């Protein structure tokens, strides 16, 4: 962000107003949900994470709704209230899909949130940044492999667009908040790294939970092999990096954007390229 001073009133007004102006009005129930063939239904139902996604969206709505009334600045509060509405709508969208296509997913109780709701909101925000960055790559891969009908990806894309708006809003909110508190760039970077570390820990715990036996749904041996077989770590990192850049282009360049994860991905990709170049005899089998 070059022209606007982070933490200023102009900055605050820009990131809140843009967030509010790009809010879309739609009802998940009346979206153009496609009719699926038996095979497509089967594929959709074998995906094991719908229950987790549904829970995550409900939890997101609850955290944002709980934190919003504590915000004293009216325009920031207005934007956060809108985010809460969008998160609740994400949950409704997933619920609509679960009901419509008969997916096996039950509603789990929401945990108690800590008394410090702002920290819960910040933890949630960094978690969204991590999930969205990885989600960009996973979404592109799944869409390219045509694992599900394109009509469904078009609906999911609505959700991806809103998540991208959320993380841009969050990054700007954090910069605004920390500048007002007088935190220098080094302390802000350290703080972000610490929060990303916590988000990664939570994500890994969720993945481990998903791998526990007896959930009756072994994703690896199902038709999901369509894209798991072709999985390449480097391709995935590249997809995350490129998709992040593509999706970020839609935003005003005066807004701040997430930088840490793309920078880490870029570094990893450079490292992998350098590694390949130093071992040309092995290059043929690396994508
Ligand atoms: Fe969401
Ligand atoms: Fe979100």
């Amino acid at each position: 962000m070059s022209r606007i001073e982070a933490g200023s009133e102009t900055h605050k007004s820009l990131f809140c107003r843009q967030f509010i102006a790009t809010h879309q009005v739609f009802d998940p129930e009346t979206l153009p949900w496609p009719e699926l063939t038996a095979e497509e239904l089967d594929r959709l139902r074998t995906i094991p994470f719908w229950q987790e996604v549904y829970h995550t969206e409900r939890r997101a709505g609850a955290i944002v709704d709980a934190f919003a009334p504590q915000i004293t600045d009216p325009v920031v509060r207005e934007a956060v209230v809108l985010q809460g509405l969008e998160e609740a709508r994400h949950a409704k969208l997933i619920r609509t899909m679960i009901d419509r296509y008969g997916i096996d997913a039950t509603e789990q109780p929401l945990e108690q949130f800590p008394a410090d709701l702002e920290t819960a909101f910040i933890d949630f925000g960094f978690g969204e940044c991590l999930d969205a960055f990885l989600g960009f790559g996973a979404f592109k891969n799944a869409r390219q492999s045509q694992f599900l009908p394109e009509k469904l990806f078009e609906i999911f894309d609505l959700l991806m667009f809103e998540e991208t708006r959320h993380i841009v809003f969050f990054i700007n909110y954090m910069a605004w908040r920390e500048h007002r508190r007088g935190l220098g760039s080094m302390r802000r970077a350290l703080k972000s790294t610490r929060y990303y570390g916590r988000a990664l820990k939570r994500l890994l715990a969720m993945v481990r939970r998903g791998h526990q036996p007896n959930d009756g749904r072994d994703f690896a041996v199902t038709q999901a092999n369509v894209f798991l077989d072709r999985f390449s770590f480097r391709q995935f990192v590249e997809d995350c990096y490129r998709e992040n850049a593509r999706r970020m282009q839609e935003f005003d360049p005066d807004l701040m954007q997430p930088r840490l994860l793309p920078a880490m991905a870029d570094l990893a990709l450079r490292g992998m390229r350098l590694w390949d170049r130093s071992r040309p005899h092995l290059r043929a089998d690396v994508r």
Side-chain angles (χ1 to χ4, degrees):
M1 196 170 71
S2 50
R3 287 181 289 171
I4 290 171
E5 193 196 332
S8 64
E9 280 296 298
T10 318
H11 177 218
K12 179 191 78 183
S13 176
L14 182 78
F15 74 81
C16 293
R17 294 274 164 236
Q18 291 220 355
F19 184 80
I20 295 164
T22 49
H23 171 71
Q24 306 183 90
V25 178
F26 68 88
D27 177 0
E29 281 177 9
T30 54
L31 288 172
W33 295 100
E35 290 299 325
L36 299 187
T37 64
E39 193 194 333
E40 287 166 343
L41 268 177
D42 238 29
R43 283 189 177 195
L44 183 68
R45 289 172 182 156
T46 47
I47 296 173
F49 48 70
W50 295 126
Q51 180 165 310
E52 195 74 44
V53 174
Y54 179 52
H55 183 73
T56 305
E57 295 293 359
R58 281 179 59 236
R59 185 175 171 275
I63 291 177
V64 177
D65 282 355
F67 173 56
Q70 295 191 355
I71 303 171
T72 45
D73 189 285
V75 71
V76 179
R77 188 173 58 238
E78 187 185 342
V80 174
V81 165
L82 210 52
Q83 184 186 353
L85 200 142
E86 291 180 8
E87 297 296 10
R89 192 168 57 183
H90 291 169
K92 191 179 171 196
L93 190 149
I94 301 294
R95 182 77 248 169
T96 305
M97 182 184 75
I98 288 171
D99 292 344
R100 185 179 172 101
Y101 300 118
I103 296 166
D104 177 20
T106 43
E107 193 167 305
Q108 297 158 297
L110 291 174
E111 77 265 27
Q112 276 283 321
F113 299 130
D116 181 359
L117 285 167
E118 186 171 27
T119 301
F121 177 76
I122 294 173
D123 260 324
F124 156 72
F126 278 106
E128 276 212 299
C129 291
L130 179 65
D131 292 351
F133 189 73
L134 300 176
F136 291 153
F139 186 80
K140 177 165 181 264
N141 190 276
R143 192 172 201 167
Q144 237 171 20
S145 70
Q146 300 178 328
F147 184 68
L148 294 170
E150 176 58 23
K151 290 270 173 237
L152 274 182
F153 283 110
E154 283 168 17
I155 291 180
F156 297 149
D157 209 34
L158 274 175
L159 210 139
M160 293 297 281
F161 171 67
E162 289 188 339
E163 295 303 5
T164 315
R165 275 173 62 254
H166 294 174
I167 64 174
V168 170
F169 175 79
F170 176 71
I171 290 292
N172 282 272
Y173 166 80
M174 278 308 282
W176 169 75
R177 178 189 186 274
E178 308 296 43
H179 269 93
R180 283 179 15 140
R181 295 175 164 228
L183 252 65
S185 58
M186 187 49 118
R187 278 180 67 194
R188 278 188 285 126
L190 282 173
K191 196 168 177 179
S192 303
T193 310
R194 187 160 48 86
Y195 273 102
Y196 272 125
R198 279 154 63 143
L200 187 64
K201 231 168 111 180
R202 281 195 306 276
L203 182 68
L204 291 176
M206 194 189 88
V207 171
R208 265 196 302 273
R209 273 203 309 280
H211 278 176
Q212 257 155 37
N214 299 329
D215 66 355
R217 287 167 274 185
D218 193 350
F219 196 48
V221 297
T222 65
Q223 299 159 70
N225 282 336
V226 171
F227 57 89
L228 287 180
D229 273 355
R230 298 183 329 180
F231 185 80
S232 136
F233 179 68
R234 180 199 292 186
Q235 188 63 49
F236 176 68
V237 179
E238 242 166 46
D239 284 346
C240 293
Y241 182 79
R242 289 217 191 106
E243 280 295 287
N244 177 73
R246 183 180 71 80
R247 288 182 182 271
M248 289 301 160
Q249 273 174 8
E250 292 186 39
F251 293 84
D252 185 334
D254 277 339
L255 290 171
M256 298 179 88
Q257 297 184 353
R259 276 182 314 198
L260 191 63
L261 294 178
M264 280 168 64
D266 187 33
L267 199 68
L269 288 167
R270 282 167 203 263
M272 284 189 269
R273 271 180 223 126
L274 210 66
W275 176 253
D276 281 358
R277 250 180 265 141
S278 67
R279 303 154 80 233
H281 53 292
L282 294 176
R283 202 183 298 166
D285 64 345
V286 189
R287 270 175 59 190

